[in-house]
Amino acid sequence: MTSRRHMAGHPMLWLIAGLMSLAAMPGFAQSGEKLFRKCAACHAVGEGARMKVGPHINNLFGRTAGGIDGYRYSKPMRAAGEGGLVWTDATLAEYLKAPRTYIKGTRMNFVGFKKQADLTAMIAYLRKFSGSASASPVPNKTVMLGAAAANLEGDAEYGEYLSGECVTCHQASGKAEGIPAIVGWPPDLFIHALYEYKTKIRKNPVMQTISGRLSDEEMAALAAYFGTLETATIMGGEQ
């Protein structure tokens, strides 16, 4: 089956590609500074940042979720960190889209950024306070879950056979109407998400059950199949 992935139809690829050129596009960080006003009541960033209602978010990229000593995180956030969640461009973008969906039970009382441009701007702004060690915009592969499955060559035809259970909820067209779209994802991100359900970092009980019985071969096949499908629309802030 011929691959038809298009960067224009995949918001995560759009985000990562956009971040690669942020050094030449200071407007993104400036927009992010304005957007951060929504966060400033609970979080501090920059010189002299301290704990407020939420932890400070200096040096966020590359940090394990729930990883600042002395701050009292929620149990779900600590569990996410213990399960391997590290803040990268990819994981932070997913979290900031819908914090209480990405980590069920988090105390963060914010609905999320729905516009892809806002996500890009916020991440560009926060990167200003993370130092040169975190300059690469590409997700750190050493912290991606399901590496063994991601290294397999997925059988897209087998994935199509397995996909019947998936498309009872997720639309093969790529539309997200209350349920996250899963069309066009890079295989490693697709498998990473499945492993977050399998290891109970993500809390949806249906997805935990489904992912819990999938083998690495089956995950690779599903990732290969859904990766070949074109996205009908750019999915904005929903994924």
Side-chain angles (χ1 to χ4, degrees):
M1 188 174 293
T2 303
S3 175
R4 295 175 290 170
R5 294 189 195 100
H6 295 291
M7 184 172 289
H10 193 279
M12 188 58 66
L13 289 179
W14 183 91
L15 169 66
I16 292 170
L19 284 168
M20 288 181 177
S21 59
L22 284 178
M25 301 173 70
F28 271 110
Q30 291 171 6
S31 296
E33 184 175 7
K34 294 178 182 178
L35 290 168
F36 187 75
R37 294 170 186 169
K38 298 180 180 181
C39 314
C42 296
H43 296 281
V45 68
E47 186 176 356
R50 57 183 177 79
M51 305 297 185
K52 298 173 76 173
V53 175
H56 74 75
I57 43 181
N58 287 340
N59 298 312
L60 179 63
F61 295 87
R63 190 163 84 199
T64 300
I68 296 181
D69 291 338
Y71 180 77
R72 189 176 180 181
Y73 291 94
S74 64
K75 289 182 179 179
M77 185 63 74
R78 292 199 306 271
E82 291 166 0
L85 178 61
V86 171
W87 296 122
T88 65
D89 294 327
T91 57
L92 187 60
E94 288 295 304
Y95 179 62
L96 290 178
K97 286 177 184 177
R100 294 193 168 190
T101 298
Y102 191 67
I103 299 180
K104 296 286 188 181
T106 179
R107 293 196 300 263
M108 185 159 157
N109 188 24
F110 177 60
V111 67
F113 293 105
K114 302 307 179 187
K115 295 180 180 179
Q116 198 69 48
D118 288 348
L119 282 168
T120 305
M122 179 57 70
I123 289 173
Y125 177 65
L126 294 177
R127 275 201 167 277
K128 291 177 60 179
F129 306 99
S130 278
S132 59
S134 60
S136 172
V138 180
N140 184 346
K141 300 299 182 183
T142 63
V143 300
M144 297 295 282
L145 302 180
N151 287 330
L152 295 175
E153 184 175 353
D155 183 336
E157 291 186 1
Y158 182 39
E160 184 175 13
Y161 167 75
L162 295 170
S163 69
E165 189 170 32
C166 305
V167 297
T168 59
C169 296
H170 301 277
Q171 295 191 40
S173 66
K175 292 183 179 179
E177 297 179 353
I179 296 176
I182 58 174
V183 167
W185 287 34
D188 56 349
L189 291 179
F190 188 99
I191 292 167
H192 176 81
L194 285 175
Y195 258 87
E196 285 191 321
Y197 286 115
K198 189 167 188 170
T199 57
K200 296 182 170 51
I201 292 174
R202 299 196 191 196
K203 303 302 181 182
N204 184 288
V206 174
M207 285 301 302
Q208 286 178 351
T209 299
I210 292 172
S211 61
R213 59 177 181 250
L214 289 174
S215 67
D216 283 356
E217 181 184 12
E218 290 169 332
M219 288 188 182
L222 285 167
Y225 170 63
F226 283 106
T228 66
L229 301 180
E230 289 183 346
T231 307
T233 58
I234 295 178
M235 294 173 288
E238 295 182 79
Q239 180 172 326

